[in-house]
Amino acid sequence: MTERPPVEPFYDGDGVAHSYSRHRHSGPSPNHVMEEPAFLAAVGDLGGLAVLDLGCGDAHFGLVALQAGARSYLGVDNSRAMLEQARQVLTGTEAHVQHSSIEELQLPDGTFDLIVSRMALHHVEDLDSVLSACRRWVVPSGRVVFTVLHPVLTSPISVPPSTERRTDWTVDDYFSTGARQRSWMGSRVTWYHRTLENYVTSLAANGFALSQLRECAPEPQRFVDADDPELARRRRVPMFLLLAAAAT
């Protein structure tokens, strides 16, 4: 039997990492006005914490964490292109980055006070195994905070490609969980759709007690004008789901 060649990480595709980072950190992006303010509020005080970042991307949060007094930061990503950006962002700090997929990562038990993952776990097929590993890696009082694409966005099995700015969203096949193929960032990506219930149940099944569930409504203060039509547009549909939980 012939072995299949390894699949190239999505973010190592031609220009994908650069395009994604530019989009994510731009002023009007949904990440900037919706996901980021909710995430930073949920992680809270980082002083003295050992932080693990799963799917760290360019590790921008690592810089934020260290500046906020985190004791240590380890960023993990399967994309070499993203890790190159991360090393540049973290130049001159004591932070570390590691090349690994989230599913294959091996780390010592009881090492981290806080495990975060921003917009990465919907790329993971087996969420239970990842959360089980997180429970081993955190200290007894440890926490996890993660954001994913909201299930209403990942639900449709088929989404017609379009270059037009979206004015409507369809929820379909919501309870049919599993892989979804999308055209995104100029390439083909696989997301794994789960219901909101699936996420909450998986946390509980793997030794965590839910402390926060947020749908990341847009933060008006991140818009120049309260009458900005983009603010009204971003209030129409949830794009992100945030869950925070403590080890039990």
Side-chain angles (χ1 to χ4, degrees), residues 16-222:
V16 172
H18 176 73
S19 296
Y20 177 70
S21 294
R22 182 175 57 188
H23 165 76
R24 182 163 178 160
H25 297 302
S26 65
S29 80
N31 296 88
H32 178 73
V33 300
M34 300 172 77
E35 185 263 352
E36 184 174 77
F39 173 78
L40 293 177
V43 297
D45 183 7
L46 293 163
L49 301 187
V51 178
L52 171 64
D53 190 349
L54 299 176
C56 67
D58 64 9
H60 175 75
F61 176 66
L63 198 58
V64 171
L66 293 173
Q67 291 172 344
R71 182 172 81 252
S72 65
Y73 172 86
L74 173 62
V76 176
D77 207 287
N78 198 33
S79 165
R80 295 188 185 279
M82 280 296 190
L83 285 182
E84 180 57 33
Q85 292 186 28
R87 291 186 182 98
Q88 294 177 19
V89 167
L90 298 171
T91 297
T93 74
E94 297 297 320
H96 298 278
V97 295
Q98 180 175 331
H99 179 251
S100 174
S101 69
I102 295 173
E103 301 92 323
E104 296 173 348
L105 183 62
Q106 301 290 324
L107 292 169
D109 293 353
T111 304
F112 301 97
D113 301 293
L114 173 67
I115 299 178
V116 301
S117 183
R118 297 179 65 185
M119 306 309 295
L121 295 185
H122 53 267
H123 293 283
V124 168
E125 183 174 8
D126 187 354
L127 180 65
D128 277 328
S129 68
V130 172
L131 292 179
S132 176
C134 288
R135 182 60 186 84
R136 297 193 305 272
W137 296 334
V138 293
V139 299
S141 59
R143 295 183 297 136
V144 294
V145 178
F146 65 86
T147 58
V148 291
L149 281 170
H150 198 287
V152 303
L153 295 189
T154 58
S155 64
I157 291 175
S158 177
V159 176
S162 175
T163 57
E164 298 295 325
R165 195 177 192 191
R166 297 188 69 172
T167 58
D168 59 69
W169 292 261
T170 300
V171 178
D172 195 12
D173 296 301
Y174 186 80
F175 293 104
S176 299
T177 59
R180 304 287 197 263
Q181 294 288 318
R182 295 285 189 269
S183 294
W184 188 62
M185 292 286 155
S187 189
R188 294 291 290 176
V189 66
T190 299
W191 295 333
Y192 290 93
H193 169 65
R194 302 176 182 92
T195 66
L196 193 154
E197 181 180 344
N198 293 152
Y199 282 111
V200 174
T201 300
S202 187
L203 279 167
N206 289 287
F208 290 99
L210 185 69
S211 57
Q212 288 191 53
L213 187 157
R214 297 190 60 181
E215 293 177 292
C216 307
E219 174 53 63
Q221 292 181 346
R222 293 211 169 194

